[in-house]
Amino acid sequence: MKYPDFNQTISIDEVGVEERVSRLNKRSIKKDSKVQALKLALSMIDHTTLEGSDSPGKVIQLCKKARQPHPAIPDLPTVAAVCVYPRMVSVAKKELKGSGIHVASVATAFPSGQAPLSQRLDDTKFAVNEGADEIDMVISRGAFLNGEFQLVFDEIAAVKEACGDAHLKVILETGELHTYENVRKASDIAMHAGADFIKTSTGKVSPAATQPVTLVMLEAIRDHYYETGKMIGMKPAGGIRTAKQAIQYLVLVKETLGAAWLNKDYFRFGASSLTNDLLMQIVKQQTGHYQSLNYFSND
Amino acid sequence: MAEERIDVKKTYKMYIGGDFPRSESGRTYKALDSDGNLLANACQGSRKDFRDAVKIARGAFGGWSSRSAYNRGQILYRIAEMLEDRRDQFMKELGPIGFKTAEAEADINAAIDRCIYYAGWTDKYQQVFGSINPVASSHFNFSMLEPTGVVAAFAPEKSPLLGLVSVIAPIIAGGNTCVVLASEKYPLPAISFAEVLNSSDVPGGVVNILTGFREELAEHFSTHMDVNAMCYTDNLPQEMKKLIDENASLNVKRIVKHPVEDWYDEEVQSPYFVTDFQETKTTWHPVGF
């Protein structure tokens, strides 16, 4: 297969991207369409906990919430996956057995990626052996910014190989890439190197996911699809806390990639507090009353 | 030759989270003087404005309720100072809506004094109303008051300054945050009072003031699940009272109704108006050796 020359830069119209995002944000999604969008967004969540303080207890609680987001409404969709550190994969796997919910694990010395490649690969293999269905890796941003694009490409390819059957999401950490051109380039490298998903951020760096960055990545996915016929998924992560934001993201996806991407196989939200806000909005739509977090379980 | 100068008029907007936004709905209504002449356009707040205000009030609750009681007292005192400083502004606003000069002066004086009154109570009501209870085992048993949370209130219709201040002060003195709907007919002094709050070290979001119609907002004030208490002092239409009472049952919202005719009455300032918006927490603690 022939790869593009990554030293070439595809220029991005910054003003154009931001204008388009702000225009799409003005879409008004109401009533039935809104309920549908809220439930769709709920089904696309990678329900996440990535804290130093994570314990099996906390992960079990998270998994319970993933299986049944709000007991008062039993027919809600479950979230798409639970996303944890490698050490917690086996706990989550056991807890989610039979639910169809995937276990995703961050790996490759998340969030910095600053470990020797061999260790990052071991990290990945460990998570896969523990039962992870999806691996969220980080790229070497230092190397990328240094212009070592081939190295970044090779590392992603190596991790992909270590993943085996597990799906690979590649975190670009766009908050450290400085320009939209870099975001576009990193997206292209990741997709050509074997990513199944490209993902904006670790959630540990500010800014995390933004809509303009997401649009740039979505357009990269679209161009990649035209070029190769391969559909790559997209996962914005970090900073998406409200149902309103989530619906705005869905509009971006629909307008850029079309309905084929509007499902959990091709689009995910990496989030923790988004779940409850979606639930509150769903209940609001059902009852007509604004809700309080007091009546929704934590995590 | 000097040209005739065109007055620069104030735009009266609402007060939410320490900012002065217009209604998200873009609607306004006419605020008239007592002769029916247009004074200004006021914002006609919507349910979404209310929702935004509650969200912000909830966000401000943690910080405000954990301030020391002494500091809340300082801040209430500061409101009084600022109000004193802006006397002329309120004189100008109360005049056209039917207050004679002496009445307006008395109203402002009483409003300032009321802030001072509740400033004094902030670090005392706990001492008076908290208790150590006798129990028949070797435990200490304490009852302490804690603020209930976010309070929604209808400010009195006929007392646009003193009444408003009298409703807000005991709520915030006890560490609650609030969303208040100003007098429907005379909304302007409430917005000027918001300017006072904004320059008085009151953190943004502790007091939020909307202008608009009770008829439209009563449903949302009473149904919102994140509002812990609701308060009004006017004699509302029977139907509205019923609506509020029924809706409040959704989350067992505390409904505080104090019918007040005369805002100068000694009876309308009381530490019990602080305790109206407090929950009692009782703690058992084993007696040590």
Side-chain angles (χ1 to χ4, degrees), chain A residues 167-201:
Chain A
H167 272 222
L168 177 64
K169 305 195 199 100
V170 179
I171 303 170
L172 309 181
E173 195 65 298
T174 53
E176 292 182 344
L177 296 184
H178 307 304
T179 65
Y180 292 138
E181 278 81 6
N182 281 346
V183 171
R184 170 69 195 231
K185 184 174 295 186
S187 304
D188 288 339
I189 292 173
M191 289 187 293
H192 280 287
D196 297 298
F197 265 75
I198 50 176
K199 173 174 168 185
T200 58
S201 325

PDB file of all heavy atoms in Angstrom, chain A residues 167-201:
ATOM      1  N   HIS A 167      -9.966  -3.626  19.091  1.00  0.00           N
ATOM      2  CA  HIS A 167     -10.015  -2.404  18.295  1.00  0.00           C
ATOM      3  C   HIS A 167      -9.031  -1.382  18.844  1.00  0.00           C
ATOM      4  O   HIS A 167      -8.848  -1.285  20.050  1.00  0.00           O
ATOM      5  CB  HIS A 167     -11.425  -1.811  18.344  1.00  0.00           C
ATOM      6  CG  HIS A 167     -12.294  -2.370  17.267  1.00  0.00           C
ATOM      7  ND1 HIS A 167     -13.156  -1.595  16.537  1.00  0.00           N
ATOM      8  CD2 HIS A 167     -12.404  -3.630  16.787  1.00  0.00           C
ATOM      9  CE1 HIS A 167     -13.777  -2.362  15.653  1.00  0.00           C
ATOM     10  NE2 HIS A 167     -13.344  -3.596  15.790  1.00  0.00           N
ATOM     11  N   LEU A 168      -8.446  -0.616  17.950  1.00  0.00           N
ATOM     12  CA  LEU A 168      -7.464   0.373  18.391  1.00  0.00           C
ATOM     13  C   LEU A 168      -7.999   1.783  18.189  1.00  0.00           C
ATOM     14  O   LEU A 168      -8.392   2.173  17.094  1.00  0.00           O
ATOM     15  CB  LEU A 168      -6.162   0.212  17.600  1.00  0.00           C
ATOM     16  CG  LEU A 168      -5.079   1.249  17.919  1.00  0.00           C
ATOM     17  CD1 LEU A 168      -4.607   1.122  19.355  1.00  0.00           C
ATOM     18  CD2 LEU A 168      -3.906   1.138  16.956  1.00  0.00           C
ATOM     19  N   LYS A 169      -8.005   2.540  19.294  1.00  0.00           N
ATOM     20  CA  LYS A 169      -8.308   3.966  19.197  1.00  0.00           C
ATOM     21  C   LYS A 169      -7.007   4.721  19.429  1.00  0.00           C
ATOM     22  O   LYS A 169      -6.286   4.435  20.380  1.00  0.00           O
ATOM     23  CB  LYS A 169      -9.327   4.382  20.264  1.00  0.00           C
ATOM     24  CG  LYS A 169     -10.625   3.570  20.257  1.00  0.00           C
ATOM     25  CD  LYS A 169     -11.698   4.283  21.079  1.00  0.00           C
ATOM     26  CE  LYS A 169     -12.816   3.342  21.477  1.00  0.00           C
ATOM     27  NZ  LYS A 169     -12.681   2.850  22.859  1.00  0.00           N
ATOM     28  N   VAL A 170      -6.737   5.665  18.567  1.00  0.00           N
ATOM     29  CA  VAL A 170      -5.483   6.402  18.685  1.00  0.00           C
ATOM     30  C   VAL A 170      -5.755   7.816  19.178  1.00  0.00           C
ATOM     31  O   VAL A 170      -6.468   8.588  18.532  1.00  0.00           O
ATOM     32  CB  VAL A 170      -4.748   6.442  17.329  1.00  0.00           C
ATOM     33  CG1 VAL A 170      -3.455   7.247  17.464  1.00  0.00           C
ATOM     34  CG2 VAL A 170      -4.453   5.036  16.844  1.00  0.00           C
ATOM     35  N   ILE A 171      -5.208   8.111  20.343  1.00  0.00           N
ATOM     36  CA  ILE A 171      -5.408   9.437  20.950  1.00  0.00           C
ATOM     37  C   ILE A 171      -4.337  10.394  20.430  1.00  0.00           C
ATOM     38  O   ILE A 171      -3.130  10.151  20.587  1.00  0.00           O
ATOM     39  CB  ILE A 171      -5.308   9.352  22.491  1.00  0.00           C
ATOM     40  CG1 ILE A 171      -6.325   8.347  23.043  1.00  0.00           C
ATOM     41  CG2 ILE A 171      -5.506  10.734  23.109  1.00  0.00           C
ATOM     42  CD1 ILE A 171      -6.131   8.039  24.528  1.00  0.00           C
ATOM     43  N   LEU A 172      -4.768  11.461  19.805  1.00  0.00           N
ATOM     44  CA  LEU A 172      -3.808  12.412  19.225  1.00  0.00           C
ATOM     45  C   LEU A 172      -3.359  13.441  20.264  1.00  0.00           C
ATOM     46  O   LEU A 172      -2.345  14.089  20.097  1.00  0.00           O
ATOM     47  CB  LEU A 172      -4.448  13.143  18.047  1.00  0.00           C
ATOM     48  CG  LEU A 172      -5.118  12.267  16.992  1.00  0.00           C
ATOM     49  CD1 LEU A 172      -5.677  13.141  15.866  1.00  0.00           C
ATOM     50  CD2 LEU A 172      -4.139  11.242  16.414  1.00  0.00           C
ATOM     51  N   GLU A 173      -4.131  13.602  21.321  1.00  0.00           N
ATOM     52  CA  GLU A 173      -3.931  14.666  22.315  1.00  0.00           C
ATOM     53  C   GLU A 173      -3.788  16.024  21.610  1.00  0.00           C
ATOM     54  O   GLU A 173      -2.744  16.668  21.591  1.00  0.00           O
ATOM     55  CB  GLU A 173      -2.705  14.387  23.201  1.00  0.00           C
ATOM     56  CG  GLU A 173      -2.665  15.264  24.461  1.00  0.00           C
ATOM     57  CD  GLU A 173      -3.828  14.992  25.430  1.00  0.00           C
ATOM     58  OE1 GLU A 173      -4.985  15.206  25.038  1.00  0.00           O
ATOM     59  OE2 GLU A 173      -3.560  14.581  26.572  1.00  0.00           O
ATOM     60  N   THR A 174      -4.893  16.415  21.017  1.00  0.00           N
ATOM     61  CA  THR A 174      -4.881  17.616  20.168  1.00  0.00           C
ATOM     62  C   THR A 174      -4.537  18.882  20.938  1.00  0.00           C
ATOM     63  O   THR A 174      -4.079  19.854  20.352  1.00  0.00           O
ATOM     64  CB  THR A 174      -6.265  17.803  19.507  1.00  0.00           C
ATOM     65  OG1 THR A 174      -7.264  17.787  20.536  1.00  0.00           O
ATOM     66  CG2 THR A 174      -6.541  16.679  18.534  1.00  0.00           C
ATOM     67  N   GLY A 175      -4.750  18.853  22.259  1.00  0.00           N
ATOM     68  CA  GLY A 175      -4.398  20.025  23.073  1.00  0.00           C
ATOM     69  C   GLY A 175      -2.906  20.291  23.076  1.00  0.00           C
ATOM     70  O   GLY A 175      -2.460  21.375  23.453  1.00  0.00           O
ATOM     71  N   GLU A 176      -2.108  19.307  22.663  1.00  0.00           N
ATOM     72  CA  GLU A 176      -0.648  19.497  22.621  1.00  0.00           C
ATOM     73  C   GLU A 176      -0.124  19.644  21.198  1.00  0.00           C
ATOM     74  O   GLU A 176       1.073  19.723  20.994  1.00  0.00           O
ATOM     75  CB  GLU A 176       0.048  18.308  23.310  1.00  0.00           C
ATOM     76  CG  GLU A 176      -0.202  18.283  24.811  1.00  0.00           C
ATOM     77  CD  GLU A 176       0.522  17.135  25.534  1.00  0.00           C
ATOM     78  OE1 GLU A 176       0.976  16.182  24.884  1.00  0.00           O
ATOM     79  OE2 GLU A 176       0.620  17.226  26.765  1.00  0.00           O
ATOM     80  N   LEU A 177      -1.039  19.645  20.232  1.00  0.00           N
ATOM     81  CA  LEU A 177      -0.568  19.675  18.839  1.00  0.00           C
ATOM     82  C   LEU A 177      -0.547  21.086  18.231  1.00  0.00           C
ATOM     83  O   LEU A 177      -0.085  21.272  17.110  1.00  0.00           O
ATOM     84  CB  LEU A 177      -1.422  18.742  17.964  1.00  0.00           C
ATOM     85  CG  LEU A 177      -1.337  17.247  18.320  1.00  0.00           C
ATOM     86  CD1 LEU A 177      -2.142  16.415  17.343  1.00  0.00           C
ATOM     87  CD2 LEU A 177       0.099  16.763  18.359  1.00  0.00           C
ATOM     88  N   HIS A 178      -1.085  22.047  18.951  1.00  0.00           N
ATOM     89  CA  HIS A 178      -0.994  23.471  18.601  1.00  0.00           C
ATOM     90  C   HIS A 178      -1.798  23.940  17.397  1.00  0.00           C
ATOM     91  O   HIS A 178      -2.429  24.977  17.450  1.00  0.00           O
ATOM     92  CB  HIS A 178       0.472  23.916  18.418  1.00  0.00           C
ATOM     93  CG  HIS A 178       1.342  23.579  19.582  1.00  0.00           C
ATOM     94  ND1 HIS A 178       1.049  24.008  20.857  1.00  0.00           N
ATOM     95  CD2 HIS A 178       2.470  22.835  19.681  1.00  0.00           C
ATOM     96  CE1 HIS A 178       1.970  23.547  21.698  1.00  0.00           C
ATOM     97  NE2 HIS A 178       2.837  22.826  21.007  1.00  0.00           N
ATOM     98  N   THR A 179      -1.729  23.241  16.254  1.00  0.00           N
ATOM     99  CA  THR A 179      -2.418  23.777  15.063  1.00  0.00           C
ATOM    100  C   THR A 179      -3.365  22.748  14.467  1.00  0.00           C
ATOM    101  O   THR A 179      -3.219  21.542  14.678  1.00  0.00           O
ATOM    102  CB  THR A 179      -1.418  24.165  13.954  1.00  0.00           C
ATOM    103  OG1 THR A 179      -0.774  22.966  13.490  1.00  0.00           O
ATOM    104  CG2 THR A 179      -0.368  25.132  14.451  1.00  0.00           C
ATOM    105  N   TYR A 180      -4.352  23.237  13.719  1.00  0.00           N
ATOM    106  CA  TYR A 180      -5.265  22.330  13.023  1.00  0.00           C
ATOM    107  C   TYR A 180      -4.519  21.503  11.978  1.00  0.00           C
ATOM    108  O   TYR A 180      -4.873  20.366  11.700  1.00  0.00           O
ATOM    109  CB  TYR A 180      -6.395  23.123  12.355  1.00  0.00           C
ATOM    110  CG  TYR A 180      -7.351  23.788  13.330  1.00  0.00           C
ATOM    111  CD1 TYR A 180      -7.815  25.073  13.112  1.00  0.00           C
ATOM    112  CD2 TYR A 180      -7.794  23.114  14.465  1.00  0.00           C
ATOM    113  CE1 TYR A 180      -8.696  25.687  13.988  1.00  0.00           C
ATOM    114  CE2 TYR A 180      -8.666  23.714  15.356  1.00  0.00           C
ATOM    115  CZ  TYR A 180      -9.115  24.998  15.117  1.00  0.00           C
ATOM    116  OH  TYR A 180      -9.983  25.598  16.000  1.00  0.00           O
ATOM    117  N   GLU A 181      -3.487  22.094  11.380  1.00  0.00           N
ATOM    118  CA  GLU A 181      -2.698  21.350  10.388  1.00  0.00           C
ATOM    119  C   GLU A 181      -2.082  20.113  11.034  1.00  0.00           C
ATOM    120  O   GLU A 181      -2.073  19.032  10.447  1.00  0.00           O
ATOM    121  CB  GLU A 181      -1.581  22.226   9.793  1.00  0.00           C
ATOM    122  CG  GLU A 181      -2.019  23.152   8.677  1.00  0.00           C
ATOM    123  CD  GLU A 181      -2.663  24.432   9.193  1.00  0.00           C
ATOM    124  OE1 GLU A 181      -2.665  24.658  10.424  1.00  0.00           O
ATOM    125  OE2 GLU A 181      -3.181  25.209   8.364  1.00  0.00           O
ATOM    126  N   ASN A 182      -1.568  20.314  12.261  1.00  0.00           N
ATOM    127  CA  ASN A 182      -0.982  19.172  12.971  1.00  0.00           C
ATOM    128  C   ASN A 182      -2.029  18.113  13.303  1.00  0.00           C
ATOM    129  O   ASN A 182      -1.761  16.915  13.228  1.00  0.00           O
ATOM    130  CB  ASN A 182      -0.312  19.645  14.272  1.00  0.00           C
ATOM    131  CG  ASN A 182       1.057  20.257  14.006  1.00  0.00           C
ATOM    132  OD1 ASN A 182       1.609  20.104  12.914  1.00  0.00           O
ATOM    133  ND2 ASN A 182       1.597  20.946  14.986  1.00  0.00           N
ATOM    134  N   VAL A 183      -3.211  18.581  13.677  1.00  0.00           N
ATOM    135  CA  VAL A 183      -4.294  17.647  14.003  1.00  0.00           C
ATOM    136  C   VAL A 183      -4.614  16.812  12.770  1.00  0.00           C
ATOM    137  O   VAL A 183      -4.756  15.579  12.827  1.00  0.00           O
ATOM    138  CB  VAL A 183      -5.554  18.407  14.484  1.00  0.00           C
ATOM    139  CG1 VAL A 183      -6.745  17.457  14.601  1.00  0.00           C
ATOM    140  CG2 VAL A 183      -5.289  19.097  15.813  1.00  0.00           C
ATOM    141  N   ARG A 184      -4.708  17.496  11.644  1.00  0.00           N
ATOM    142  CA  ARG A 184      -5.024  16.798  10.397  1.00  0.00           C
ATOM    143  C   ARG A 184      -3.930  15.780  10.068  1.00  0.00           C
ATOM    144  O   ARG A 184      -4.202  14.635   9.705  1.00  0.00           O
ATOM    145  CB  ARG A 184      -5.154  17.836   9.269  1.00  0.00           C
ATOM    146  CG  ARG A 184      -5.250  17.266   7.874  1.00  0.00           C
ATOM    147  CD  ARG A 184      -6.582  16.540   7.699  1.00  0.00           C
ATOM    148  NE  ARG A 184      -6.567  15.687   6.532  1.00  0.00           N
ATOM    149  CZ  ARG A 184      -7.509  15.697   5.581  1.00  0.00           C
ATOM    150  NH1 ARG A 184      -8.531  16.516   5.675  1.00  0.00           N
ATOM    151  NH2 ARG A 184      -7.428  14.897   4.559  1.00  0.00           N
ATOM    152  N   LYS A 185      -2.685  16.211  10.224  1.00  0.00           N
ATOM    153  CA  LYS A 185      -1.571  15.330   9.867  1.00  0.00           C
ATOM    154  C   LYS A 185      -1.540  14.110  10.788  1.00  0.00           C
ATOM    155  O   LYS A 185      -1.394  12.973  10.335  1.00  0.00           O
ATOM    156  CB  LYS A 185      -0.252  16.108   9.968  1.00  0.00           C
ATOM    157  CG  LYS A 185       0.946  15.296   9.525  1.00  0.00           C
ATOM    158  CD  LYS A 185       2.210  16.122   9.493  1.00  0.00           C
ATOM    159  CE  LYS A 185       2.105  17.202   8.432  1.00  0.00           C
ATOM    160  NZ  LYS A 185       3.355  17.949   8.251  1.00  0.00           N
ATOM    161  N   ALA A 186      -1.709  14.357  12.097  1.00  0.00           N
ATOM    162  CA  ALA A 186      -1.693  13.248  13.055  1.00  0.00           C
ATOM    163  C   ALA A 186      -2.839  12.286  12.759  1.00  0.00           C
ATOM    164  O   ALA A 186      -2.681  11.062  12.870  1.00  0.00           O
ATOM    165  CB  ALA A 186      -1.788  13.782  14.483  1.00  0.00           C
ATOM    166  N   SER A 187      -3.999  12.834  12.369  1.00  0.00           N
ATOM    167  CA  SER A 187      -5.138  11.981  12.030  1.00  0.00           C
ATOM    168  C   SER A 187      -4.782  11.077  10.857  1.00  0.00           C
ATOM    169  O   SER A 187      -5.049   9.868  10.878  1.00  0.00           O
ATOM    170  CB  SER A 187      -6.355  12.825  11.639  1.00  0.00           C
ATOM    171  OG  SER A 187      -6.684  13.724  12.649  1.00  0.00           O
ATOM    172  N   ASP A 188      -4.185  11.675   9.822  1.00  0.00           N
ATOM    173  CA  ASP A 188      -3.838  10.906   8.626  1.00  0.00           C
ATOM    174  C   ASP A 188      -2.824   9.805   8.955  1.00  0.00           C
ATOM    175  O   ASP A 188      -2.964   8.667   8.507  1.00  0.00           O
ATOM    176  CB  ASP A 188      -3.265  11.836   7.542  1.00  0.00           C
ATOM    177  CG  ASP A 188      -4.377  12.706   6.930  1.00  0.00           C
ATOM    178  OD1 ASP A 188      -5.556  12.309   7.049  1.00  0.00           O
ATOM    179  OD2 ASP A 188      -4.060  13.766   6.361  1.00  0.00           O
ATOM    180  N   ILE A 189      -1.828  10.174   9.768  1.00  0.00           N
ATOM    181  CA  ILE A 189      -0.818   9.170  10.136  1.00  0.00           C
ATOM    182  C   ILE A 189      -1.490   8.008  10.868  1.00  0.00           C
ATOM    183  O   ILE A 189      -1.272   6.839  10.550  1.00  0.00           O
ATOM    184  CB  ILE A 189       0.272   9.807  11.035  1.00  0.00           C
ATOM    185  CG1 ILE A 189       1.101  10.820  10.217  1.00  0.00           C
ATOM    186  CG2 ILE A 189       1.180   8.739  11.632  1.00  0.00           C
ATOM    187  CD1 ILE A 189       2.085  11.629  11.048  1.00  0.00           C
ATOM    188  N   ALA A 190      -2.346   8.360  11.842  1.00  0.00           N
ATOM    189  CA  ALA A 190      -2.973   7.321  12.660  1.00  0.00           C
ATOM    190  C   ALA A 190      -3.843   6.406  11.804  1.00  0.00           C
ATOM    191  O   ALA A 190      -3.804   5.179  11.942  1.00  0.00           O
ATOM    192  CB  ALA A 190      -3.801   7.963  13.768  1.00  0.00           C
ATOM    193  N   MET A 191      -4.615   6.983  10.907  1.00  0.00           N
ATOM    194  CA  MET A 191      -5.526   6.174  10.094  1.00  0.00           C
ATOM    195  C   MET A 191      -4.760   5.252   9.161  1.00  0.00           C
ATOM    196  O   MET A 191      -5.104   4.086   8.993  1.00  0.00           O
ATOM    197  CB  MET A 191      -6.484   7.079   9.313  1.00  0.00           C
ATOM    198  CG  MET A 191      -7.512   7.740  10.227  1.00  0.00           C
ATOM    199  SD  MET A 191      -8.793   8.645   9.335  1.00  0.00           S
ATOM    200  CE  MET A 191      -7.853   9.972   8.622  1.00  0.00           C
ATOM    201  N   HIS A 192      -3.677   5.777   8.560  1.00  0.00           N
ATOM    202  CA  HIS A 192      -2.899   4.941   7.652  1.00  0.00           C
ATOM    203  C   HIS A 192      -2.144   3.858   8.404  1.00  0.00           C
ATOM    204  O   HIS A 192      -1.879   2.791   7.874  1.00  0.00           O
ATOM    205  CB  HIS A 192      -1.929   5.804   6.832  1.00  0.00           C
ATOM    206  CG  HIS A 192      -2.609   6.489   5.680  1.00  0.00           C
ATOM    207  ND1 HIS A 192      -3.010   5.814   4.551  1.00  0.00           N
ATOM    208  CD2 HIS A 192      -2.979   7.775   5.510  1.00  0.00           C
ATOM    209  CE1 HIS A 192      -3.605   6.667   3.716  1.00  0.00           C
ATOM    210  NE2 HIS A 192      -3.592   7.871   4.285  1.00  0.00           N
ATOM    211  N   ALA A 193      -1.812   4.154   9.687  1.00  0.00           N
ATOM    212  CA  ALA A 193      -1.024   3.183  10.456  1.00  0.00           C
ATOM    213  C   ALA A 193      -1.892   2.086  11.066  1.00  0.00           C
ATOM    214  O   ALA A 193      -1.379   1.172  11.695  1.00  0.00           O
ATOM    215  CB  ALA A 193      -0.238   3.907  11.554  1.00  0.00           C
ATOM    216  N   GLY A 194      -3.223   2.203  10.927  1.00  0.00           N
ATOM    217  CA  GLY A 194      -4.051   1.086  11.373  1.00  0.00           C
ATOM    218  C   GLY A 194      -5.077   1.392  12.442  1.00  0.00           C
ATOM    219  O   GLY A 194      -5.679   0.479  13.004  1.00  0.00           O
ATOM    220  N   ALA A 195      -5.283   2.683  12.750  1.00  0.00           N
ATOM    221  CA  ALA A 195      -6.277   3.016  13.768  1.00  0.00           C
ATOM    222  C   ALA A 195      -7.666   2.605  13.313  1.00  0.00           C
ATOM    223  O   ALA A 195      -8.006   2.742  12.145  1.00  0.00           O
ATOM    224  CB  ALA A 195      -6.262   4.528  14.040  1.00  0.00           C
ATOM    225  N   ASP A 196      -8.466   2.078  14.267  1.00  0.00           N
ATOM    226  CA  ASP A 196      -9.876   1.853  13.972  1.00  0.00           C
ATOM    227  C   ASP A 196     -10.688   3.095  14.324  1.00  0.00           C
ATOM    228  O   ASP A 196     -11.738   3.345  13.750  1.00  0.00           O
ATOM    229  CB  ASP A 196     -10.402   0.659  14.771  1.00  0.00           C
ATOM    230  CG  ASP A 196      -9.682  -0.623  14.375  1.00  0.00           C
ATOM    231  OD1 ASP A 196      -9.787  -1.014  13.206  1.00  0.00           O
ATOM    232  OD2 ASP A 196      -8.989  -1.207  15.239  1.00  0.00           O
ATOM    233  N   PHE A 197     -10.200   3.806  15.309  1.00  0.00           N
ATOM    234  CA  PHE A 197     -10.805   5.063  15.754  1.00  0.00           C
ATOM    235  C   PHE A 197      -9.696   6.090  15.897  1.00  0.00           C
ATOM    236  O   PHE A 197      -8.568   5.737  16.245  1.00  0.00           O
ATOM    237  CB  PHE A 197     -11.421   4.902  17.164  1.00  0.00           C
ATOM    238  CG  PHE A 197     -12.886   4.581  17.175  1.00  0.00           C
ATOM    239  CD1 PHE A 197     -13.327   3.309  16.845  1.00  0.00           C
ATOM    240  CD2 PHE A 197     -13.828   5.540  17.553  1.00  0.00           C
ATOM    241  CE1 PHE A 197     -14.684   2.994  16.886  1.00  0.00           C
ATOM    242  CE2 PHE A 197     -15.173   5.234  17.586  1.00  0.00           C
ATOM    243  CZ  PHE A 197     -15.607   3.967  17.254  1.00  0.00           C
ATOM    244  N   ILE A 198     -10.013   7.342  15.666  1.00  0.00           N
ATOM    245  CA  ILE A 198      -9.101   8.390  16.134  1.00  0.00           C
ATOM    246  C   ILE A 198      -9.822   9.181  17.212  1.00  0.00           C
ATOM    247  O   ILE A 198     -11.030   9.396  17.148  1.00  0.00           O
ATOM    248  CB  ILE A 198      -8.575   9.304  15.002  1.00  0.00           C
ATOM    249  CG1 ILE A 198      -9.712   9.822  14.128  1.00  0.00           C
ATOM    250  CG2 ILE A 198      -7.538   8.561  14.172  1.00  0.00           C
ATOM    251  CD1 ILE A 198      -9.254  10.794  13.051  1.00  0.00           C
ATOM    252  N   LYS A 199      -9.045   9.586  18.202  1.00  0.00           N
ATOM    253  CA  LYS A 199      -9.624  10.156  19.420  1.00  0.00           C
ATOM    254  C   LYS A 199      -8.892  11.451  19.741  1.00  0.00           C
ATOM    255  O   LYS A 199      -7.682  11.534  19.568  1.00  0.00           O
ATOM    256  CB  LYS A 199      -9.470   9.123  20.542  1.00  0.00           C
ATOM    257  CG  LYS A 199      -9.865   9.582  21.929  1.00  0.00           C
ATOM    258  CD  LYS A 199      -9.798   8.404  22.921  1.00  0.00           C
ATOM    259  CE  LYS A 199      -9.889   8.886  24.349  1.00  0.00           C
ATOM    260  NZ  LYS A 199      -9.714   7.804  25.340  1.00  0.00           N
ATOM    261  N   THR A 200      -9.629  12.440  20.202  1.00  0.00           N
ATOM    262  CA  THR A 200      -9.006  13.757  20.385  1.00  0.00           C
ATOM    263  C   THR A 200      -8.002  13.794  21.525  1.00  0.00           C
ATOM    264  O   THR A 200      -6.874  14.233  21.338  1.00  0.00           O
ATOM    265  CB  THR A 200     -10.067  14.842  20.681  1.00  0.00           C
ATOM    266  OG1 THR A 200     -10.801  14.460  21.843  1.00  0.00           O
ATOM    267  CG2 THR A 200     -11.014  15.041  19.512  1.00  0.00           C
ATOM    268  N   SER A 201      -8.446  13.334  22.719  1.00  0.00           N
ATOM    269  CA  SER A 201      -7.673  13.714  23.899  1.00  0.00           C
ATOM    270  C   SER A 201      -7.666  12.648  24.975  1.00  0.00           C
ATOM    271  O   SER A 201      -8.494  11.749  24.997  1.00  0.00           O
ATOM    272  CB  SER A 201      -8.279  14.974  24.540  1.00  0.00           C
ATOM    273  OG  SER A 201      -8.788  15.830  23.558  1.00  0.00           O
TER     274      SER A 201
END
